[in-house]
Amino acid sequence: MDVTATGSDVPPMIRLSGVGKTYEDGTVAVHELDLEVAAGELVVLVGPSGCGKSTTLKMINRLIEPTTGTIEIDGQDVTRSDPVQLRRGIGYVIQQVGLFPHQSIETNVMTVPLLYGESKATARDRAHTLMNLVGLEPATYAGRYPHQLSGGQRQRVGVARALAADPPVLLMDEPFGAVDPVVRVRLQDEFLRLQQELGKTVVLVTHDIDEAVKMGDRVAVFAAGGRLAQYATPAELLARPADEVVSDFVGSTSGLRRLSVTPLALEHLEPMDGVSAGDLGAAIDLDSTLEQALAVMLRDDRPMVGVKDGARFVGVLTPLGVHQALRASLAE
Ligand code: ADP
Ligand code: MG
């Protein structure tokens, strides 16, 4: 496994060792899987349909029992935990949100805290806090019913409900799959912002490599037969696919995708000498990605872009600098 990846100095929150699942009809859904997820890390399981992603997720919260291997959460063997107790510490978000259709949004979200013995008033407070957290103003949405919400809003309720017990671990199975592409991007961005605040340990399943690269601190690429083909950071995965299965899956546009996961660095900038700020289009921040830098150059129709660290210009980036930055990210 890639020990240079994010969070490897933190003890794993989730550890799968030699985990396999063979269904009764003989289908090998997951094969000898070793996977560690550090506390606070967002790991994406990605791969074509039928390669064992959902099965893996459901083994973590014991909706499915593994045939072989062990799964530990926070050092505890999950097969020895009480499943009800276990699921309390694990939020679970699925594509078809599974809201109660005849209950209001507020009641839907309150269900979990009520289940854990909170008073009605506390549960309602908690529900409102969570609704605000996911961008659903309680004054407007508390009394609505699921069918009165858009797909994206229902998905937000699903996330709010999964967070209701404040679980350290969140499992998400194609959580943004059922909404249109524009809403999907918005939900992804919102979730990333939320995750920065909450710092949950998240395992997210998707079949969409773009979503995987965008969301994951690390990405586990699954191949047919439930085999783990590669487990690496998005940048590593795109720059150095482990084998043909991964490079096929990552696709011919992986070069472009690398732009979105490679940050700027001071050493690839040229000095501001001779360039007046007026010659440049809009400036970008030093913590931007190469993709953002190129997007501004193209939009403003300039051969370079000014880079700022806070309020101060620290240099300009040219397409040559972009090339050098990509090169350097490979050499790491
Ligand atoms: P993914 O989520 O990656 O699409 P799944 O984990 O759902 O894949 O399924 C992995 C494999 O296991 C597939 O071949 C699927 O058909 C099979 N499978 C899933 N659930 C069952 C089941 N209950 N019984 C038999 N085979 C199953
Ligand atoms: Mg699935």
Side-chain angles (χ1 to χ4, degrees):
M1 192 173 31
D2 179 12
V3 288
T4 62
T6 319
S8 54
D9 46 344
V10 183
M13 178 63 114
I14 303 174
R15 189 203 305 262
L16 280 68
S17 317
V19 170
K21 176 67 187 181
T22 305
Y23 285 107
E24 271 154 37
D25 64 0
T27 305
V28 178
V30 179
H31 179 75
E32 293 277 319
L33 178 60
D34 294 319
L35 193 78
E36 291 188 357
V37 182
E41 193 176 21
L42 196 170
V43 163
V44 178
L45 314 184
V46 70
S49 174
C51 62
K53 306 179 300 290
S54 295
T55 301
T56 300
L57 212 60
K58 288 179 186 159
M59 289 193 287
I60 296 173
N61 66 3
R62 284 192 68 189
L63 289 173
I64 293 177
E65 298 292 340
T67 321
T68 62
T70 57
I71 300 176
E72 288 166 54
I73 294 186
D74 207 11
Q76 300 274 333
D77 183 345
V78 301
T79 56
R80 287 192 208 140
S81 322
D82 166 38
V84 176
Q85 197 70 30
L86 174 75
R87 281 182 215 127
R88 240 174 236 201
I90 304 178
Y92 185 47
V93 182
I94 53 174
Q95 190 181 109
Q96 301 308 336
V97 186
L99 300 177
F100 304 117
H102 304 297
Q103 293 182 1
S104 68
I105 300 309
E106 178 186 81
T107 312
N108 263 284
V109 181
M110 279 170 68
T111 309
V112 177
L114 284 176
L115 213 62
Y116 299 151
E118 299 289 359
S119 71
K120 237 179 165 171
T122 308
R124 181 170 293 117
D125 277 356
R126 178 90 187 124
H128 287 197
T129 304
L130 289 160
M131 288 181 67
N132 277 317
L133 199 63
V134 298
L136 293 172
E137 172 71 12
T140 309
Y141 295 102
R144 288 211 191 166
Y145 288 83
H147 75 272
Q148 297 172 313
L149 300 185
S150 70
Q153 289 168 334
R154 276 201 291 274
Q155 209 55 39
R156 291 190 183 100
V157 178
V159 171
R161 206 174 50 174
L163 291 171
D166 199 18
V169 174
L170 208 54
L171 307 179
M172 309 178 85
D173 197 343
E174 311 248 3
F176 315 122
V179 294
D180 67 68
V182 175
V183 175
R184 186 177 317 152
V185 167
R186 196 178 317 139
L187 288 176
Q188 289 168 344
D189 291 341
E190 278 173 13
F191 185 76
L192 284 175
R193 212 171 325 115
L194 198 61
Q195 167 63 2
Q196 275 199 336
E197 237 174 85
L198 301 176
K200 302 285 181 195
T201 305
V202 183
V203 184
L204 185 152
V205 163
T206 181
H207 60 268
D208 175 0
I209 184 69
D210 287 315
E211 181 163 277
V213 163
K214 174 176 178 177
M215 304 293 286
D217 295 318
R218 279 194 287 175
V219 176
V221 182
F222 279 56
R227 187 178 66 81
L228 180 60
Q230 188 168 8
Y231 189 30
T233 61
E236 171 80 16
L237 191 74
L238 295 175
R240 278 189 283 251
D243 58 24
E244 214 159 288
V245 171
V246 180
S247 55
D248 280 353
F249 188 68
V250 163
S252 57
T253 57
S254 63
L256 288 175
R257 291 201 181 97
R258 282 176 57 206
L259 293 170
S260 70
V261 297
T262 310
L264 300 184
L266 277 176
E267 64 259 37
H268 306 120
L269 303 184
E270 287 169 38
M272 290 293 290
D273 311 351
V275 182
S276 80
D279 290 341
L280 299 168
I284 55 166
D285 219 69
L286 187 55
D287 66 10
S288 305
T289 63
L290 296 178
E291 184 186 41
Q292 290 165 327
L294 274 175
V296 171
M297 285 186 224
L298 291 169
R299 186 197 62 195
D300 294 350
D301 195 19
R302 309 279 160 110
M304 59 181 72
V305 60
V307 180
K308 281 180 157 178
D309 185 4
R312 194 170 58 92
F313 272 99
V314 288
V316 294
L317 183 72
T318 67
L320 189 64
V322 171
H323 180 244
Q324 287 166 345
L326 275 178
R327 268 284 186 75
S329 76
L330 253 183
E332 267 166 17

